[in-house]
Amino acid sequence: MQSSLLEGKTVVVSGVGAGLGHQVAAAVVRDGGHAVLGARTEANLAKTAAEIDPEGTRAAHKATDITDERQCEALAELAVERFGGIDAVVHVAAWDSYFGGLEDADFATWEQVIDVNLLGTLRMTRACLPALRQRAGGSVVFIGTQSAIAAPSQVRQAAYGASKGALTSAMYSLAHELGPDRIRVNTVLPGWMWGPPVEAYVQFTAHTEGVPEDEVRDRLAARMALPDLATDGDVADAVVFLASDRARSITGQSLLVNAGEIMR
């Protein structure tokens, strides 16, 4: 059953692919909103839009590279042209496929990771500000990572964790800066999240170790207070809550969605 949590609201979602971005976009439409989708790959956008909005009335999309300020502005303009404004922006777009620590770091690649995960997110936020202000308020939701506060032992993603940690720090400043305009800024911090990236990790590990995939997944789930992994859909539900008026007094906060692996 469709809920009305986002009824009449328009939400810009960056980084829409097969995983979390798709789930966020689907949740926006499910809960009554309009979804404006951005990502670098047009085919991914078209596929998601067709799946979540077969009639073509609730979703719009435009190929967008968030390292390009003009492309960010064009996505925001599409939201205003198609649906009359912007009520929330959700930042799923990220570079999370570079692995390693300090000793093997390629700092040129680190700079690219930071340009996407930190600066790209801020570019997209700034592009949406005029429309958010016209609504006399709104919501900005960053997707961070549990890795920014507790590095995983299974893989090294120092650049990714550092870039997302910087984004969480930026959230505090933005919450104060944009608060007078009643624009809220919050961060969702997923942990191990069952979706395409973690599925690929489980498949690779199972193949490498010669064990069943269920064994690898159960090994991960054993770390959680709840007896399973959170899913992309679980994270999307938290995002929708923060984007909605139900979270109207919440700003400058980080919400862990991790089945209780880490508590704070």
Side-chain angles (χ1 to χ4, degrees), residues 54-252:
E55 296 180 358
T57 60
R58 304 282 297 284
H61 60 86
K62 189 176 186 64
T64 306
D65 181 346
I66 62 171
T67 66
D68 184 316
E69 192 155 7
R70 181 64 194 110
Q71 291 188 41
C72 293
E73 292 168 351
L75 186 62
E77 290 164 4
L78 174 64
V80 174
E81 292 167 3
R82 182 71 186 275
F83 300 118
I86 298 173
D87 298 283
V89 54
V90 180
H91 299 281
V92 184
W95 186 343
D96 61 358
S97 57
Y98 175 63
F99 295 88
L102 176 63
E103 289 189 320
D104 57 352
D106 174 0
F107 287 122
T109 304
W110 274 61
E111 289 174 350
Q112 294 173 340
V113 171
I114 290 168
D115 192 31
V116 174
N117 296 354
L118 174 61
L119 300 180
T121 297
L122 297 179
R123 287 186 195 97
M124 192 68 244
T125 300
R126 185 163 69 178
C128 293
L129 280 182
L132 287 169
R133 287 189 170 116
Q134 286 184 1
R135 290 287 212 233
S139 175
V140 177
V141 183
F142 296 155
I143 302 297
T145 175
Q146 180 176 284
S147 299
I149 59 172
S153 59
Q154 295 89 343
V155 295
R156 288 183 179 174
Q157 283 185 298
Y160 179 65
S163 66
K164 290 294 192 174
L167 187 61
T168 299
S169 294
M171 173 192 72
Y172 299 123
S173 294
L174 293 182
H176 278 288
E177 179 181 351
L178 304 182
D181 293 314
R182 297 190 179 278
I183 297 171
R184 299 173 288 107
V185 188
N186 294 288
T187 301
V188 174
L189 302 175
W192 287 92
M193 177 175 59
W194 190 249
V198 173
E199 289 174 28
Y201 167 82
V202 167
Q203 291 166 1
F204 174 79
T205 303
H207 176 75
T208 301
E209 297 182 3
V211 298
E213 291 179 16
D214 285 348
E215 180 178 324
V216 179
R217 176 168 174 156
D218 290 346
R219 198 185 305 162
L220 292 174
R223 302 165 59 95
M224 316 302 168
L226 298 173
D228 204 351
L229 303 180
T231 67
D232 285 355
D234 295 328
V235 176
D237 286 344
V239 166
V240 165
F241 165 70
L242 289 173
S244 78
D245 290 341
R246 300 261 180 100
R248 59 187 170 272
S249 293
I250 301 175
T251 194

